[in-house]
Amino acid sequence: MIPVEDALQRILAGLQPLDAEDVSLDAALGRVLAQDVAARVTQPPKPVSAMDGYAVKAADVASVPASLTVIGSAPAGRGFLGLLESGQAVRIFTGAPLPDGADSIVIQEDTEAAGDRVTVKEAPALGNYVRAAGLDFKQGDIGLTAGTLLTARDIGLAAAMNHPWLRVMRRPRIAILATGDEIVRPGDPIGRDQIVSSNALALAAYVRGAGGEPVVLGIAPDDMAGLKRMLAGARGTDLLVTTGGASVGDHDLIQTVLGETGKLDFWKIAMRPGKPLMFGTVGDTPVLGLPGNPVSSMVCALLFLGPAMQKLLGRKAEAPATRPARLGRDLKPNDRRQDYLRATLTEDAEGLPVATPFGKQDSSQFSLLTQAQCLLVRPPHDAARREGDIVRIIPFIDRYF
């Protein structure tokens, strides 16, 4: 058995970032930028007013009250074209460009208007309520960097920088194949010795949430010919994920197929749940073989499939981040495998998370995974732990997991 960290590094070493493509701005949410985005314009392009009021020369209103002649107006999108001379003012509105000759704004609450005259009652500081040209960004400034997972805020910034299209990484196409005569799809007739398959649909949802395009191939039977026939459906995808068939039983055929038509890099990881995980290739397609037990499959997806997809997307690929928490109950010493215990989260009086593992951790209990808020990580040979000890957890912070 190899350590979890070694397995992840070997998986990532077998993958390369995908190509890029152009998408319209309204289709870019959740995509990963393939290249930096530089501003095509300066924003604002010239000094503009930040408030409704009057554009003036600060020197004219240093002593108040001061009476000025209003020579025109400047609504947003249509600036005043003349030159502001001493003793003059221009009625101005938020977002309108500052008239030539003006250097400050007096807000309308500090004035009294009568006909073509305005009396300034409060003296503004030089540059008062003036947004300088380029206050937000200047032409050529890098506003978004390659590798950014685009949010609504990023889309808004790209639009303001005058980009109708963005260069993004292609979505990884992830083929998903469940194996085993004992499983059937939800809604199909269930035989006497069969159970409903959940892995493929759960993994497809995870892939979609993580920025990929799942290609669900169905359920492969426990025979070599049928398995090879269904594996052919993975051609042209970027990664094949299988569930089940990765152990050592007579009907676990994935390893055999890899040996005949591809390459097996490794199998068996020193972890629980998820020991029978493997990685290799079928033809030119990388293969990540996940265990058949539902919890094992999803835990391995979080630890290995997630980082693998980040590598394909050209992002920084690393193990899920851990954080400290207090232990909610006593634990016995751990053996040589790294444990990932499903746990609930509460908070102590100091605001520190308290992780309480479920008493049962059987890898077939999917219901406990949905009730959990984190995985408690126990290193190999971890000593017995007492309630209140500091441990490490992986919080379930991704909305799609």
Side-chain angles (χ1 to χ4, degrees), residues 177-186 188-200 218-223 227 242-247 249-254 276 290-294 297 364:
L177 178 65
T179 67
D181 292 334
E182 76 279 11
I183 56 176
V184 296
R185 293 177 299 182
D188 283 357
I190 304 173
R192 185 188 64 182
D193 300 318
Q194 292 182 310
I195 60 173
V196 177
S197 173
S198 60
N199 289 351
I219 299 173
D222 280 329
D223 68 79
L227 178 58
T242 64
T243 67
S247 190
D250 292 338
H251 297 285
D252 296 322
L253 304 175
I254 298 294
L290 305 183
N293 279 329
S297 175
S364 67

Side-chain angles (χ1 to χ4, degrees), residues 33-39 141-148 161 163 166-167:
L33 267 184
Q35 62 187 29
D36 294 349
V37 177
D141 285 351
I142 302 298
L144 300 168
T145 56
T148 297
M161 294 191 298
H163 284 272
L166 291 176
R167 189 83 172 155

Side-chain angles (χ1 to χ4, degrees), residues 11-164:
I11 291 170
L12 296 179
L15 302 171
Q16 296 298 323
L18 303 177
D19 296 330
E21 61 185 5
D22 294 322
V23 298
S24 62
L25 205 56
D26 61 359
L29 181 66
R31 303 297 296 270
V32 175
L33 267 184
Q35 62 187 29
D36 294 349
V37 177
R40 290 172 156 180
V41 294
T42 295
Q43 180 68 19
K46 58 181 67 176
V48 298
S49 176
M51 299 288 283
D52 292 348
Y54 292 86
V56 301
K57 292 180 179 291
D60 286 347
V61 292
S63 296
V64 291
S67 181
L68 303 173
T69 301
V70 180
I71 61 170
S73 66
R78 192 168 67 252
F80 179 76
L81 299 179
L83 176 66
L84 187 75
E85 303 283 359
S86 181
Q88 296 176 336
V90 170
R91 182 75 167 106
I92 197 166
F93 297 88
T94 304
L98 203 66
D100 291 340
D103 56 25
S104 304
I105 302 296
V106 180
I107 59 174
Q108 61 188 29
E109 294 89 334
D110 293 339
T111 66
E112 285 184 3
D116 64 351
R117 304 290 294 179
V118 63
T119 299
V120 177
K121 299 183 294 183
E122 294 287 339
L126 180 64
N128 197 50
Y129 294 118
V130 175
R131 293 175 179 150
L135 176 66
D136 197 359
F137 50 79
K138 295 180 175 63
Q139 185 175 359
D141 285 351
I142 302 298
L144 300 168
T145 56
T148 297
L149 182 64
L150 292 167
T151 65
R153 292 168 292 152
D154 299 325
I155 300 300
L157 179 58
M161 294 191 298
N162 199 27
H163 284 272

